[in-house]
Amino acid sequence: MLARLFLLAFGLTQAAADFNWLHEHDSHSPPWSQTSHDSNPVIQGDCVAGDKGLSWLSKQLSNGSVIACRGTPLQLNNAGRYWGEQYGKNASVVVYPSRPEDVSYAVQATEKTSLGLDFAFVGGAHGQTNASSSYSYVIDLSYLNQTQIIHNYTVNGSKDVLTVVAYQGGTTAYQVASTLSGSGYIAVTPRIGNVGMGGFSTGGGIGFLAGPYGFAVDRLVAVDVVLPVTGKMVTATAFNQYSDLFWALRGGGGQFGIVTNFYQKAAPEPTVVTVSVYYIDSKSVDESQQNVADFFKKNNDPFAVVYYGYGFYPDNLLDPNPAPSSFALRTILITLWFGNPLDPQQKSANATFGNLLTNLSFDISSSYNFDYVQLYLLADSLFPYGFRRGFWGPQAVNVSSQYLKSAEVALSAHVNTLVQRGEFPATALWLIQYMSPGLNGNLPKSNADTAWPHAVAGHQTLFSPAWSLAGDDGLAVQANNVLNLLTYAQEALVGPTLADYPNYISPGASGSRVWGDNVERLIDVKQKYDPECTIHNGRVFASSGCVKGGWGNIFA
């Protein structure tokens, strides 16, 4: 598990180099948008010939695209790649576009086949609102997975000349990071390597490097979007006629259109990442909670990150095949120190975390120096596939030792309940990520600047339950509600209310809890760009078209 990936990390450098194709262009258009059309898609199965819409689509798609009918290898691949087991569905057909233009054709086809009445699109398949899968028609973007650096990039209406990282809508965090490794540049990416950059970027974009560089939504300067129904391809920026669409896609999620290309301001690549992982000895848990609370109040290095929480993990991280009996609730502390390439006087990792570790004893203590891309080998191992999963949690302020203790008690109660019911909730956990106050000057000036209101940011919590039985879905939601109430109570002591992170939206959360006063405007944008509510799975803004269809569930 964790240990196997730690060991792999030391051999990753050459493997990463083998995959590391880096394209740099002084232009506005990525080279993948300039390829010629060669209509010769792969068709798996026999669902195309008898369907006029799919037959039309098969004549439009490019070489390398795929139409996969139910029961064929690539349809089953789509159904099986959802991180939460409860979200995978056996679609009647899955379309894998190989170019942005193919996404346009795939969208147009939804109007030509009855299967298109219920369609979804998917990037990394980590979404937690059931929006990215369908039993009918799915557009799987995983073939759109290229990344490049573009220098001298400008946006019409802005005088800024930028270096940006351009990545396609189906790219994963690891694909972006491995492509950029050693280039001197980095994008703000998710904290798990197999998470898709598309949902991450439209849902807020909190990454490892949010502390020094801010959230992904605040670093986006342009997006290429395929609009619903018509399949029209547009570029949206803060300065053109699609500025409202650009605003909505920065934190409002992907229900306004399918983004095929993102353009994010590049940031300096960290020189090194020092990672330390600790299991806190039970006798030191109380003191560790106080030390963590103190660190959250006093740290002044935005390149220093702490994760602290409780999880159901084995007793020996170095055992690649831990026995089920070795799993128990553990108190986990992870410190990350990113070398600031612009500050040769930056304090060392030891100096930064010295007080945090004072007087603590550990069951396990391991430290590693990684390249940034290697960090994903650790992160991915914390959240394996094979379970029904949740990924929920609000932002926290006023972090105290008592708050951390209360979260420990709530997580313990949930895990113990599952174990008593015969479940094996391996890797279920609750944790909190330290976020540097003000994100080093990278927060928006106003809550209205992006769809997700976050002019003030807190520390990010995460409850990620893991269970197997559908009958226990409600227990996960109940535990999440308890943990959320703890966080909201801390928030109420100091105010103001912080909007929940959209990508971690809790089951049943109100629109105002996540998007605040921006919900009404988001409803208007939804109606403008998707008047028929063709994108209507999961949490959907209640435009008139979506309410008429019975799909709208986020109200002003």
Side-chain angles (χ1 to χ4, degrees):
M1 207 174 75
L2 273 174
R4 184 185 302 121
L5 293 177
F6 280 141
L7 297 175
L8 285 172
F10 295 103
L12 177 68
T13 304
Q14 185 57 49
D18 292 340
F19 280 93
N20 184 19
W21 48 273
L22 177 64
H23 303 284
E24 300 193 17
H25 294 268
D26 295 327
S27 66
H28 291 208
S29 299
W32 58 74
S33 68
Q34 302 166 3
T35 56
S36 61
H37 177 78
D38 180 9
S39 186
N40 187 26
V42 174
I43 298 176
Q44 293 187 346
D46 58 4
C47 64
V48 173
D51 186 299
K52 291 184 179 180
L54 296 181
S55 295
W56 175 87
L57 179 61
S58 70
K59 296 178 176 64
Q60 313 304 319
L61 292 178
S62 302
N63 181 38
S65 298
V66 177
I67 301 175
C69 306
R70 179 175 289 168
T72 61
L74 283 176
Q75 182 274 316
L76 295 174
N77 172 75
N78 167 266
R81 75 183 193 88
Y82 291 81
W83 179 66
E85 291 284 300
Q86 69 269 43
Y87 299 119
K89 300 184 179 77
N90 271 316
S92 294
V93 64
V94 180
V95 181
Y96 290 82
S98 62
R99 302 183 311 153
E101 291 82 356
D102 295 319
V103 177
S104 174
Y105 292 128
V107 168
Q108 293 175 58
T110 64
E111 297 293 300
K112 302 176 185 295
T113 171
S114 61
L115 296 175
L117 294 175
D118 181 31
F119 93 93
F121 63 95
V122 59
H126 273 70
Q128 293 295 293
T129 64
N130 211 21
S132 60
S133 58
S134 166
Y135 288 111
S136 187
Y137 185 107
V138 173
I139 300 173
D140 192 315
L141 302 176
S142 55
Y143 286 11
L144 296 175
N145 56 22
Q146 299 188 59
T147 301
Q148 68 161 14
I149 293 173
I150 304 177
H151 297 295
N152 299 326
Y153 185 91
T154 58
V155 176
N156 288 337
S158 171
K159 297 180 180 180
D160 295 335
V161 180
L162 306 169
T163 294
V164 301
V165 176
Y167 48 89
Q168 292 186 297
T171 313
T172 66
Y174 181 77
Q175 288 169 333
V176 171
S178 61
T179 298
L180 298 177
S181 183
S183 69
Y185 296 100
I186 200 67
V188 172
T189 54
R191 292 157 290 187
I192 302 175
N194 46 41
V195 168
M197 290 294 296
F200 168 79
S201 299
T202 59
I206 296 178
F208 287 124
L209 293 172
Y213 299 139
F215 301 146
V217 288
D218 300 313
R219 302 190 67 83
L220 291 176
V221 296
V223 288
D224 295 333
V225 189
V226 174
L227 299 181
V229 182
T230 64
K232 182 179 179 180
M233 302 173 67
V234 304
T235 297
T237 76
F239 306 99
N240 67 9
Q241 69 189 91
Y242 300 105
S243 59
D244 54 349
L245 179 62
F246 182 65
W247 174 87
L249 287 166
R250 290 185 296 152
Q255 62 179 280
F256 309 96
I258 302 178
V259 181
T260 56
N261 298 312
F262 295 84
Y263 303 86
Q264 185 188 134
K265 287 185 291 186
E269 183 179 17
T271 55
V272 68
V273 184
T274 299
V275 183
S276 298
V277 181
Y278 307 94
Y279 275 180
I280 308 296
D281 182 274
S282 59
K283 297 177 182 179
S284 291
V285 169
D286 288 348
E287 190 150 11
S288 74
Q289 291 163 349
Q290 186 58 57
N291 287 2
V292 168
D294 290 342
F295 179 89
F296 275 43
K297 291 180 176 68
K298 298 176 182 178
N299 177 62
N300 58 10
D301 183 355
F303 285 84
V305 180
V306 165
Y307 293 92
Y308 183 82
Y310 316 98
F312 193 66
Y313 284 90
D315 58 5
N316 184 1
L317 290 178
L318 298 180
D319 184 353
N321 297 294
S325 60
S326 72
F327 279 76
L329 284 162
R330 318 283 177 187
T331 302
I332 301 170
L333 172 65
I334 300 173
T335 63
L336 305 176
W337 181 88
F338 297 94
N340 182 353
L342 304 180
D343 182 10
Q345 305 302 317
Q346 181 187 18
K347 290 196 303 184
S348 68
N350 288 338
T352 298
F353 300 120
N355 290 336
L356 175 67
L357 304 175
T358 298
N359 297 326
L360 301 185
S361 57
F362 310 108
D363 294 328
I364 286 180
S365 172
S366 302
S367 294
Y368 309 88
N369 286 326
F370 285 163
D371 292 332
Y372 179 76
V373 67
Q374 294 172 311
L375 183 57
Y376 285 112
L377 294 176
L378 165 62
D380 286 6
S381 66
L382 290 169
F383 305 100
Y385 285 76
F387 295 93
R388 302 175 78 83
R389 303 261 356 188
F391 223 67
W392 310 313
Q395 297 185 83
V397 294
N398 191 33
V399 174
S400 66
S401 59
Q402 182 56 51
Y403 166 68
L404 298 174
K405 182 68 173 179
S406 297
E408 175 192 16
V409 171
L411 190 280
S412 299
H414 171 66
V415 169
N416 288 332
T417 297
L418 289 178
V419 171
Q420 291 168 9
R421 292 174 60 84
E423 290 264 22
F424 183 64
T427 70
L429 88 164
W430 178 92
L431 56 75
I432 185 168
Q433 175 186 349
Y434 170 81
M435 305 292 289
S436 177
L439 302 190
N440 208 24
N442 289 296
L443 285 170
K445 295 179 180 179
S446 163
N447 279 336
D449 286 357
T450 64
W452 174 40
H454 60 282
V456 177
H459 308 290
Q460 184 60 50
T461 69
L462 169 64
F463 174 47
S464 183
W467 71 103
S468 299
L469 303 176
D472 289 336
D473 289 2
L475 292 177
V477 174
Q478 290 173 18
N480 182 65
N481 291 341
V482 170
L483 287 161
N484 282 358
L485 287 175
L486 293 174
T487 301
Y488 296 151
Q490 290 298 112
E491 183 180 280
L493 294 175
V494 294
T497 298
L498 296 183
D500 289 359
Y501 178 39
N503 278 334
Y504 289 5
I505 184 173
S506 290
S510 68
S512 61
R513 180 71 249 183
V514 182
W515 294 281
D517 294 334
N518 293 336
V519 175
E520 186 171 353
R521 184 179 175 189
L522 284 162
I523 289 172
D524 291 341
V525 176
K526 176 66 173 177
Q527 180 64 25
K528 178 179 178 180
Y529 289 99
D530 189 14
E532 299 176 17
C533 202
T534 58
I535 302 175
H536 56 241
N537 288 314
R539 300 302 303 271
V540 181
F541 291 106
S543 63
S544 58
C546 294
V547 171
K548 181 179 179 180
W551 302 299
N553 50 47
I554 300 175
F555 296 88

